[in-house]
Amino acid sequence: MPTIILFDFGGVLVDLDKQRCLEAFAALGFDASPYLSAFGQKGVFEGVETGQTTLDDFCQAIRQLGIQPEATDEDILKAWGTFLVGVPANRLELLLRIKQHYRTAVLSNTNEVHWGLAKDDYFRYQGRHVDDFFQDIFLSYELGVCKPDVRIFEQVIERLGLPPADILFLDDSERNCEVARQCGMQARIAPAGGEWMSYFDEEGRYILP
């Protein structure tokens, strides 16, 4: 049985709405469809998620790719933030129960904009904040690499300081799960929509074999 539950963020904990994000960028005159995916971003969007591109440079790059000249940095970053919808309360409640039995952690391909929303809004719940849900937080833009690159899993294993077999990784990408298994972790696909919640009993204990 695992001693650490390692959660993906986008699509597993937080609901995503790619179409809403595309429409927000389209309203600014920019077609973001070649760059956005539920499982990973491309081009300058990926640069933000690996920490290689600052938000200032990101906004400048979006302008160079073609956008309404009057669009401000705030407009661009607000459009980017619309990719995320929120974390339902029942998932937050279950996370708190899971944390009573396991060390909990999150591993996310994310960026300053999206994780800022997580800290400031999505994990603000009944007086709690993000650190009340996770003992460990691993973010691609801080680690300098994105899933499914093996290096991000190696960093997580090293920092957690326990055998990888003790870690159960839940992610909505089968490719990410495959690489986690190659690194010695347990991994299970967690489809979008919160279906992973059925992997735990009402008290937060993992019940699958």
Side-chain angles (χ1 to χ4, degrees), residues 8-12 14 16-18 33 35-42 45-46 49-50 80 83-84 107-111 114 140 145-149 152-153 169-177 188-193:
D8 177 33
F9 177 52
V12 174
V14 65
L16 304 177
D17 191 338
K18 175 184 172 182
S33 58
Y35 306 97
L36 301 186
S37 164
F39 300 116
Q41 316 315 329
K42 298 178 182 178
F45 288 85
E46 181 181 17
E49 300 213 328
T50 59
W80 186 210
F83 204 134
L84 276 58
L107 169 60
S108 179
N109 288 353
T110 193
N111 55 76
H114 291 173
S140 63
V145 62
C146 286
K147 297 174 291 183
D149 194 307
I152 198 168
F153 294 100
F169 177 52
L170 301 178
D171 194 288
D172 59 342
S173 163
E174 183 55 45
R175 176 59 181 155
N176 291 342
C177 290
R188 188 175 290 272
I189 194 75

Side-chain angles (χ1 to χ4, degrees), residues 25 28-31 35 43-45 53-73 76:
F25 275 113
L28 300 178
F30 177 64
D31 179 11
Y35 306 97
V44 65
F45 288 85
T53 302
T54 67
L55 292 182
D56 286 342
D57 288 343
F58 170 76
C59 292
Q60 285 298 103
I62 295 298
R63 289 191 180 90
Q64 292 171 4
L65 289 168
I67 200 167
Q68 293 175 357
E70 65 272 20
T72 65
D73 287 5
I76 295 169

Side-chain angles (χ1 to χ4, degrees), residues 9-174:
F9 177 52
V12 174
L13 299 177
V14 65
D15 289 327
L16 304 177
D17 191 338
K18 175 184 172 182
Q19 186 59 37
R20 184 173 73 165
C21 187
L22 292 174
E23 291 172 358
F25 275 113
L28 300 178
F30 177 64
D31 179 11
S33 58
Y35 306 97
L36 301 186
S37 164
F39 300 116
Q41 316 315 329
K42 298 178 182 178
V44 65
F45 288 85
E46 181 181 17
V48 173
E49 300 213 328
T50 59
Q52 297 174 2
T53 302
T54 67
L55 292 182
D56 286 342
D57 288 343
F58 170 76
C59 292
Q60 285 298 103
I62 295 298
R63 289 191 180 90
Q64 292 171 4
L65 289 168
I67 200 167
Q68 293 175 357
E70 65 272 20
T72 65
D73 287 5
E74 182 180 1
D75 293 332
I76 295 169
L77 298 179
K78 184 177 179 180
W80 186 210
T82 61
F83 204 134
L84 276 58
V85 177
V87 182
N90 63 338
R91 292 180 206 166
L92 296 172
E93 291 283 357
L94 181 56
L95 281 174
L96 293 172
R97 295 195 294 273
I98 291 170
K99 192 182 176 188
Q100 295 177 3
H101 306 287
Y102 307 93
R103 182 173 171 181
T104 54
V106 63
L107 169 60
S108 179
N109 288 353
T110 193
N111 55 76
E112 292 179 66
V113 173
H114 291 173
W115 193 249
L117 290 169
K119 291 189 298 181
D120 297 340
D121 187 0
Y122 304 149
F123 289 105
R124 293 282 184 181
Y125 179 69
Q126 296 184 348
R128 298 180 175 88
H129 53 82
V130 67
D131 291 333
D132 293 311
F133 295 91
F134 308 105
Q135 285 99 325
D136 305 276
I137 296 173
F138 303 102
L139 309 174
S140 63
Y141 75 91
E142 295 180 344
L143 298 176
V145 62
C146 286
K147 297 174 291 183
D149 194 307
V150 68
R151 292 174 296 170
I152 198 168
F153 294 100
E154 290 172 345
Q155 288 191 59
V156 168
I157 291 167
E158 180 180 0
R159 296 190 187 194
L160 288 174
L162 290 173
D166 289 353
I167 304 167
L168 172 63
F169 177 52
L170 301 178
D171 194 288
D172 59 342
S173 163
E174 183 55 45

Side-chain angles (χ1 to χ4, degrees), residues 8 183 202:
D8 177 33
C183 293
E202 292 184 358

